[in-house]
Amino acid sequence: MSASLSLRAVDKVYHPRGRSSVHAVKALSMEVDRGEIVALLGSSGCGKTSTLRMVAGFEDVSAGEISLANRRIERLAPAARNVAMAFEGYSLYPPLTVRENIAFALKRGRLSAGEVSRRVQEVAALVEIEPILDRYPNSISGGQQQRASLARALVRDAALYVLDEPMGQLEPQLRAVLRGRLKRLLKDRAMTSIFVTHDQTEANALADRIAVMEGGMLQQFAPQHVLKERPANLYVATFIGEPPMNVFDASVVRDDGRTMFELDNGPSFGFGDNELGPEVRQAIGKRRRVVIGVRPHRVVLGNGSAETARVVSNQWLGDQSHVAMAVAGKLLVAVSHARVRAAIGESVPYGVRAQDLHIFDVDTTVALAHGARAA
Amino acid sequence: MAQIDMAQIEIRNLHKSFKDDAVLKGLSLSVDKGEIVTLFGPSGTGKTVLLRLLAGIHPQDAGTIFLRGRDATGSPPDKRGIGMAFQNFALFPHMTARDNIASALTARKTDAGEIARKVERVAQLLKIGHVLGHSPRELSNGQKQRTALARALVADPDILLLDDPLRNVDAKLRYEMRLELPALLKRVGSTVVYVTQDFKEAMALGDRVAVLLDGRIAQCDTPARIYAEPVNVGVARLFGDPTLNLIEVAPQLVDGAPEIRLGGAAIRLPASYAAAAGSPCLLGLRPEGLRLVDGPAPGAIAVDLVAVTPLNEKSVLLLTMQGGEELLASEAGDRDEPRRPGPAHVAIDPDTLLLFERESGRRFIPAENGKGGS
Amino acid sequence: MDRNSTIERVLRAVLLTLIVIFFLFPIVWILLMSFQTNEQILRIPPSLSFVPTLENYKALISGHLLTSAGSLDIAFMRNLGNSVLLSTCAVVLALILGVPAAYAFARFKFWLSEDIAFTLLSFRFAPPLLVLLPLSLYFQELGLDDTYTGLIWVYQLIALPLILWIVRGYFEDISPDIENAYRIAGHSWLRTFFKIAVPLAGPGIAAAGLLSFIFCWNNFVFALVLASADKQPVTVGALAFVTASGIQYGQVAAAIVLSVTPTLLLALYAQRWLVEGLSLGAVKG
């Protein structure tokens, strides 16, 4: 019974008393397909939680429309929307046991007691809370409460599942296991879901598409690999990826078959027209200044490169090295999957290839080109 | 009486319980002058408790703490001469950021000019000079964190205790500080104990990593050694993302060389593991040490590639072996053609292989020159 | 949720008006009474229009009460002064004793601390009459009978438990790490108390102080039994208005208005803190 969710030009403005109003969500439009899992990703205060709460019905929409399964829902009370929500703050009913809490979500449907019991057991097994089903919320840990809250949302048959940081309180190992299971459940049952997170790994692992938000606006809505390889603007480029993309302001100098990027207070990188193709050059156009970016694991370390830089830090993390070098007054981070034996203070050669460059407009921060293709 | 050969911080056999819960059970650790030791372990295992005992906030039940060669028992927090940054910042809400930082100097009766100078200097270092006049309420999380750190550093303490100071900070700033902190701390020259729950942070920041498990320090070693030579299964599992694969095996000697059966294939172990033959073991396989190979090969296991999860700079592959056991492998970088689920073969890199005694969990140390031991 | 229908809004307004009228009515009536003469007050049917008079206030302030049976000397202003003196001193003393004690209860879990704290609170439960008679005997023996000192001491029974419980809650609310951080920065625990704990618990201390003031001010029985006329507060002094020639309603009303005004003004001034302090005291039980 899942169907698609559609948001059209949704706005949310808060008017706290005694302070100026806050425009938390600005003209947000997005379409979620049936059975799709979508993540709202962003740092705190970007508007993702406000958006989620508007979809679930706990906040009014200041402007715009929300539709679910071709039905306008932005004016309906939460209970009338056929949306199941798992809250960040657990919010279990204290006088009921965990089992009763989960079963409560099924009260509206006309299911036999046996069926209810079976479903509760099934979802409890998924999130591994079977041993505490008959305990009360005040006697279980924060992580267990969170899982119970999640189970309560998942046990229902709803058109949309809305999850607010569903695994924030859980430790990394458990999170990894539950993520796998949750994804499998959502996919097997074609449950359309939308969840909020600030953790990229979680977004990557669970979502079909990720909506990156910042300052109340949708920055880009695409699958993970598109966000990584073709970020729409500088914000997405530096937000997605750990370590974040290295970015530098540079001046563009065209010289007879070569394009030079002169980094402010730093080295210059030149590329022949065979490396930096016509499409890219056209995208740069007549601009004299751009922002160039390169992902840490694309920085080439080692001999054969013209430029060298002083190593500021070299950290070995078991399966990869993170080497930070002083370039153009900032730090350039390179990631290598081999041990890099360079001491702090040593100069190492490094290089950047044209196919790994991301170029952004310096004023609008919109992406101009990624690698060999225009944005 | 100061003992010159003692480390800057020396902890001997520390015990601490809360009500009936024994948190520290005979913990011992030494930290040398100028060293950064990261204290790492799962949540709730007592890392913060240890830091508080070092600071003098709580008294220990048993055991001794020596600071700078002197027994610190009975010494109150204000007399220990340490700097501490708390996980929850613990900034004074009714004072400006400037006064918060200055509080570490006002106790020592430094003159006002000197105090102002030192506060400015440390604020510039941590890039919070422009918010010194704000109250904590008006600061962002990142600024609060740096203010708390500034307060710990401003008096140039020779002993610094940092309790997960980057936890509440957003990912981008966290990474930046992870790069800049070691340089900053080395410049100040303090002896540092840094608590973290993130193994990458522990490995990145520490000269040595001390793993707190079960109320004691299970291992305290350089990051490289902790990762490659963990003392037991407990420690091995804490490092690595995704976590280490663990499979029960029973090595046998075949033609004088140790061999195990895995997923229907016979895998030869390096000869230095010969002494492990005949005992029940746990095989530890690091995901990055499992490589997909093009076809069947000696030492390669037939698997089914079930799912591919692309993460930021690597992909995680979920594989199942013949017997249904799951393995996680990780692959670096991007491929032009994403892998498709289906049958495949995987080879094990012997350098990242770990073998543990099944019962005790202790790592089996491969012999040099053919003599084994554990 | 702001899904308001017009009906809900109208209903809410009506209800609020009714409640406000219900609570304010006696106060407004008494205020009006204080500007009327006895005859106007006792007129049947009662009327809202009258010619206001300041006779009652003049009588109270000058100390001469004019009744049909003659003139009476009422030392009302002296009573007012006593109220101010007793309440203020009692509260100040209770704060000096209670705030450090509250801190001790909050921060140091010493042996029997919970029991001692509860015992101190229990003084509020016991009806004063229980202790009053034996207390008056002791006071006479000790020479404290009919002294300001004695009364201020007894008023601690009212003020101290309140301050202890409210302020303790505020101290407990301060994260211990904030104080620890100050200690580690090199300051002694005494300095930490004055520079960190007390300022941060400020609202609670003010609220507790105000509440204690109000309760001390309203107290009747202690002063009635343990003091004589020249030391009695307004609560007891009001009895004097029941005269041989009848109850002087006008002056009583004026006396009430004058008695209530100081505490009302104080409460209005600090109302925000009062609510905060009250709820906190209730929760930290």
Side-chain angles (χ1 to χ4, degrees), chain C residues 233-270:
Chain C
V234 286
T235 42
V236 183
L239 284 178
F241 293 110
V242 182
T243 65
S245 57
I247 304 174
Q248 304 300 314
Y249 289 106
Q251 279 97 3
V252 172
I256 291 176
V257 171
L258 283 181
S259 322
V260 167
T261 308
T263 48
L264 198 61
L265 287 175
L266 267 173
L268 278 173
Y269 170 67

Tab-separated table of all heavy atoms in Angstrom, chain C residues 233-270:
chain	number	residue	atom	x	y	z
C	233	PRO	N	3.237	41.394	64.614
C	233	PRO	CA	3.117	41.811	63.211
C	233	PRO	C	1.680	42.118	62.839
C	233	PRO	O	0.783	41.950	63.654
C	233	PRO	CB	3.629	40.576	62.451
C	233	PRO	CG	3.333	39.423	63.355
C	233	PRO	CD	3.434	39.949	64.759
C	234	VAL	N	1.486	42.492	61.602
C	234	VAL	CA	0.138	42.922	61.170
C	234	VAL	C	-0.902	41.821	61.287
C	234	VAL	O	-2.082	42.094	61.528
C	234	VAL	CB	0.122	43.426	59.709
C	234	VAL	CG1	0.758	44.779	59.652
C	234	VAL	CG2	0.785	42.460	58.788
C	235	THR	N	-0.473	40.608	61.117
C	235	THR	CA	-1.459	39.514	61.178
C	235	THR	C	-2.178	39.483	62.514
C	235	THR	O	-3.391	39.302	62.583
C	235	THR	CB	-0.761	38.163	60.964
C	235	THR	OG1	0.463	38.163	61.691
C	235	THR	CG2	-0.468	37.956	59.501
C	236	VAL	N	-1.398	39.674	63.555
C	236	VAL	CA	-2.015	39.675	64.879
C	236	VAL	C	-2.664	41.022	65.145
C	236	VAL	O	-3.752	41.115	65.721
C	236	VAL	CB	-0.963	39.380	65.962
C	236	VAL	CG1	-1.616	39.312	67.315
C	236	VAL	CG2	-0.242	38.081	65.630
C	237	GLY	N	-1.991	42.060	64.689
C	237	GLY	CA	-2.495	43.402	64.922
C	237	GLY	C	-3.879	43.619	64.366
C	237	GLY	O	-4.652	44.428	64.890
C	238	ALA	N	-4.230	42.871	63.341
C	238	ALA	CA	-5.544	43.054	62.730
C	238	ALA	C	-6.668	42.691	63.689
C	238	ALA	O	-7.802	43.135	63.522
C	238	ALA	CB	-5.631	42.202	61.461
C	239	LEU	N	-6.354	41.876	64.685
C	239	LEU	CA	-7.391	41.491	65.656
C	239	LEU	C	-7.950	42.695	66.376
C	239	LEU	O	-9.112	42.714	66.797
C	239	LEU	CB	-6.793	40.549	66.706
C	239	LEU	CG	-6.548	39.108	66.297
C	239	LEU	CD1	-5.902	38.344	67.437
C	239	LEU	CD2	-7.866	38.454	65.899
C	240	ALA	N	-7.107	43.680	66.485
C	240	ALA	CA	-7.546	44.852	67.251
C	240	ALA	C	-8.759	45.535	66.640
C	240	ALA	O	-9.433	46.337	67.295
C	240	ALA	CB	-6.386	45.827	67.366
C	241	PHE	N	-9.052	45.222	65.398
C	241	PHE	CA	-10.186	45.883	64.766
C	241	PHE	C	-11.524	45.320	65.187
C	241	PHE	O	-12.570	45.867	64.835
C	241	PHE	CB	-10.051	45.821	63.242
C	241	PHE	CG	-8.894	46.632	62.769
C	241	PHE	CD1	-7.772	46.006	62.251
C	241	PHE	CD2	-8.894	48.013	62.908
C	241	PHE	CE1	-6.693	46.751	61.837
C	241	PHE	CE2	-7.807	48.745	62.512
C	241	PHE	CZ	-6.714	48.134	61.979
C	242	VAL	N	-11.439	44.230	65.909
C	242	VAL	CA	-12.695	43.714	66.470
C	242	VAL	C	-12.879	44.424	67.797
C	242	VAL	O	-12.363	44.031	68.829
C	242	VAL	CB	-12.571	42.187	66.672
C	242	VAL	CG1	-13.873	41.623	67.214
C	242	VAL	CG2	-12.198	41.517	65.378
C	243	THR	N	-13.614	45.506	67.782
C	243	THR	CA	-13.720	46.330	68.986
C	243	THR	C	-15.040	46.070	69.705
C	243	THR	O	-15.936	45.403	69.199
C	243	THR	CB	-13.672	47.828	68.618
C	243	THR	OG1	-14.838	48.083	67.838
C	243	THR	CG2	-12.440	48.137	67.814
C	244	ALA	N	-15.116	46.674	70.839
C	244	ALA	CA	-16.343	46.547	71.640
C	244	ALA	C	-17.530	47.121	70.889
C	244	ALA	O	-18.648	46.627	70.991
C	244	ALA	CB	-16.143	47.268	72.957
C	245	SER	N	-17.277	48.136	70.099
C	245	SER	CA	-18.416	48.756	69.418
C	245	SER	C	-18.647	48.141	68.051
C	245	SER	O	-19.283	48.710	67.179
C	245	SER	CB	-18.157	50.259	69.286
C	245	SER	OG	-16.927	50.399	68.583
C	246	GLY	N	-18.079	47.004	67.796
C	246	GLY	CA	-18.359	46.350	66.514
C	246	GLY	C	-17.116	46.300	65.657
C	246	GLY	O	-16.090	46.924	65.946
C	247	ILE	N	-17.224	45.548	64.616
C	247	ILE	CA	-16.064	45.365	63.727
C	247	ILE	C	-16.003	46.539	62.761
C	247	ILE	O	-16.983	46.865	62.080
C	247	ILE	CB	-16.195	44.049	62.954
C	247	ILE	CG1	-16.363	42.899	63.951
C	247	ILE	CG2	-14.983	43.826	62.072
C	247	ILE	CD1	-16.655	41.564	63.303
C	248	GLN	N	-14.853	47.144	62.736
C	248	GLN	CA	-14.670	48.315	61.883
C	248	GLN	C	-14.232	47.853	60.503
C	248	GLN	O	-13.041	47.817	60.191
C	248	GLN	CB	-13.595	49.246	62.478
C	248	GLN	CG	-13.911	49.681	63.897
C	248	GLN	CD	-15.224	50.418	63.958
C	248	GLN	OE1	-15.469	51.281	63.130
C	248	GLN	NE2	-16.046	50.074	64.931
C	249	TYR	N	-15.227	47.498	59.700
C	249	TYR	CA	-14.906	46.887	58.411
C	249	TYR	C	-14.034	47.761	57.534
C	249	TYR	O	-13.142	47.299	56.863
C	249	TYR	CB	-16.190	46.534	57.657
C	249	TYR	CG	-16.924	45.385	58.284
C	249	TYR	CD1	-18.095	45.588	59.008
C	249	TYR	CD2	-16.427	44.079	58.167
C	249	TYR	CE1	-18.751	44.530	59.588
C	249	TYR	CE2	-17.085	43.027	58.749
C	249	TYR	CZ	-18.258	43.245	59.466
C	249	TYR	OH	-18.904	42.203	60.036
C	250	GLY	N	-14.301	49.018	57.538
C	250	GLY	CA	-13.535	49.918	56.672
C	250	GLY	C	-12.062	49.896	57.018
C	250	GLY	O	-11.201	49.747	56.143
C	251	GLN	N	-11.791	50.030	58.341
C	251	GLN	CA	-10.389	50.042	58.740
C	251	GLN	C	-9.747	48.676	58.522
C	251	GLN	O	-8.577	48.587	58.164
C	251	GLN	CB	-10.235	50.441	60.216
C	251	GLN	CG	-10.299	51.922	60.439
C	251	GLN	CD	-11.712	52.337	60.851
C	251	GLN	OE1	-12.560	51.473	61.010
C	251	GLN	NE2	-11.918	53.622	61.022
C	252	VAL	N	-10.554	47.626	58.767
C	252	VAL	CA	-10.008	46.280	58.526
C	252	VAL	C	-9.577	46.153	57.078
C	252	VAL	O	-8.490	45.673	56.769
C	252	VAL	CB	-11.041	45.184	58.874
C	252	VAL	CG1	-10.519	43.831	58.431
C	252	VAL	CG2	-11.319	45.171	60.365
C	253	ALA	N	-10.473	46.619	56.202
C	253	ALA	CA	-10.139	46.532	54.772
C	253	ALA	C	-8.882	47.328	54.460
C	253	ALA	O	-7.995	46.864	53.746
C	253	ALA	CB	-11.309	47.031	53.932
C	254	ALA	N	-8.806	48.522	54.996
C	254	ALA	CA	-7.610	49.341	54.742
C	254	ALA	C	-6.371	48.659	55.313
C	254	ALA	O	-5.303	48.664	54.694
C	254	ALA	CB	-7.787	50.720	55.353
C	255	ALA	N	-6.517	48.074	56.475
C	255	ALA	CA	-5.379	47.373	57.083
C	255	ALA	C	-4.943	46.215	56.213
C	255	ALA	O	-3.758	45.966	56.008
C	255	ALA	CB	-5.747	46.872	58.475
C	256	ILE	N	-5.943	45.499	55.690
C	256	ILE	CA	-5.597	44.372	54.806
C	256	ILE	C	-4.852	44.873	53.592
C	256	ILE	O	-3.823	44.315	53.204
C	256	ILE	CB	-6.874	43.610	54.389
C	256	ILE	CG1	-7.446	42.881	55.604
C	256	ILE	CG2	-6.550	42.627	53.270
C	256	ILE	CD1	-8.753	42.184	55.319
C	257	VAL	N	-5.359	45.928	53.004
C	257	VAL	CA	-4.688	46.445	51.810
C	257	VAL	C	-3.252	46.816	52.134
C	257	VAL	O	-2.314	46.472	51.415
C	257	VAL	CB	-5.439	47.675	51.246
C	257	VAL	CG1	-4.627	48.320	50.148
C	257	VAL	CG2	-6.796	47.264	50.718
C	258	LEU	N	-3.061	47.515	53.235
C	258	LEU	CA	-1.696	47.901	53.596
C	258	LEU	C	-0.830	46.684	53.913
C	258	LEU	O	0.358	46.665	53.613
C	258	LEU	CB	-1.726	48.839	54.802
C	258	LEU	CG	-2.119	50.291	54.500
C	258	LEU	CD1	-2.091	51.107	55.780
C	258	LEU	CD2	-1.179	50.900	53.468
C	259	SER	N	-1.404	45.652	54.508
C	259	SER	CA	-0.601	44.472	54.849
C	259	SER	C	-0.205	43.693	53.615
C	259	SER	O	0.872	43.118	53.555
C	259	SER	CB	-1.372	43.509	55.750
C	259	SER	OG	-2.137	44.188	56.676
C	260	VAL	N	-1.118	43.633	52.688
C	260	VAL	CA	-0.863	42.807	51.510
C	260	VAL	C	0.082	43.486	50.525
C	260	VAL	O	0.839	42.831	49.820
C	260	VAL	CB	-2.214	42.459	50.829
C	260	VAL	CG1	-1.997	41.899	49.454
C	260	VAL	CG2	-2.980	41.482	51.683
C	261	THR	N	0.040	44.799	50.501
C	261	THR	CA	0.794	45.525	49.479
C	261	THR	C	2.285	45.194	49.398
C	261	THR	O	2.785	44.912	48.308
C	261	THR	CB	0.616	47.047	49.663
C	261	THR	OG1	-0.765	47.337	49.721
C	261	THR	CG2	1.254	47.796	48.516
C	262	PRO	N	3.022	45.192	50.509
C	262	PRO	CA	4.458	44.899	50.361
C	262	PRO	C	4.730	43.552	49.693
C	262	PRO	O	5.519	43.452	48.767
C	262	PRO	CB	4.974	44.905	51.796
C	262	PRO	CG	3.999	45.713	52.556
C	262	PRO	CD	2.680	45.494	51.913
C	263	THR	N	4.071	42.514	50.183
C	263	THR	CA	4.341	41.191	49.614
C	263	THR	C	3.841	41.102	48.180
C	263	THR	O	4.474	40.465	47.338
C	263	THR	CB	3.696	40.075	50.444
C	263	THR	OG1	2.346	40.441	50.708
C	263	THR	CG2	4.436	39.858	51.735
C	264	LEU	N	2.719	41.750	47.899
C	264	LEU	CA	2.200	41.717	46.536
C	264	LEU	C	3.174	42.373	45.574
C	264	LEU	O	3.472	41.852	44.497
C	264	LEU	CB	0.856	42.449	46.494
C	264	LEU	CG	-0.030	42.171	45.284
C	264	LEU	CD1	-0.380	40.692	45.239
C	264	LEU	CD2	-1.297	43.002	45.357
C	265	LEU	N	3.696	43.527	45.977
C	265	LEU	CA	4.658	44.232	45.124
C	265	LEU	C	5.907	43.393	44.900
C	265	LEU	O	6.410	43.261	43.787
C	265	LEU	CB	5.039	45.576	45.751
C	265	LEU	CG	3.959	46.658	45.684
C	265	LEU	CD1	4.417	47.893	46.434
C	265	LEU	CD2	3.648	46.995	44.237
C	266	LEU	N	6.418	42.812	45.982
C	266	LEU	CA	7.612	41.971	45.857
C	266	LEU	C	7.373	40.806	44.903
C	266	LEU	O	8.189	40.489	44.061
C	266	LEU	CB	7.997	41.415	47.236
C	266	LEU	CG	9.017	42.215	48.042
C	266	LEU	CD1	9.143	41.631	49.432
C	266	LEU	CD2	10.358	42.211	47.344
C	267	ALA	N	6.207	40.195	45.073
C	267	ALA	CA	5.906	39.032	44.241
C	267	ALA	C	5.755	39.426	42.780
C	267	ALA	O	6.249	38.735	41.890
C	267	ALA	CB	4.644	38.341	44.739
C	268	LEU	N	5.082	40.544	42.535
C	268	LEU	CA	4.932	41.000	41.154
C	268	LEU	C	6.285	41.281	40.531
C	268	LEU	O	6.543	40.953	39.386
C	268	LEU	CB	4.077	42.273	41.108
C	268	LEU	CG	2.561	42.054	41.162
C	268	LEU	CD1	1.854	43.375	41.294
C	268	LEU	CD2	2.099	41.320	39.912
C	269	TYR	N	7.148	41.887	41.322
C	269	TYR	CA	8.473	42.239	40.817
C	269	TYR	C	9.263	40.992	40.416
C	269	TYR	O	9.968	40.953	39.423
C	269	TYR	CB	9.221	43.023	41.901
C	269	TYR	CG	10.671	43.240	41.622
C	269	TYR	CD1	11.085	44.059	40.577
C	269	TYR	CD2	11.652	42.605	42.385
C	269	TYR	CE1	12.433	44.253	40.320
C	269	TYR	CE2	12.991	42.798	42.130
C	269	TYR	CZ	13.367	43.627	41.105
C	269	TYR	OH	14.701	43.813	40.849
C	270	ALA	N	9.138	39.962	41.228
C	270	ALA	CA	9.962	38.786	40.975
C	270	ALA	C	9.152	37.579	40.545
C	270	ALA	O	9.570	36.446	40.769
C	270	ALA	CB	10.746	38.464	42.232
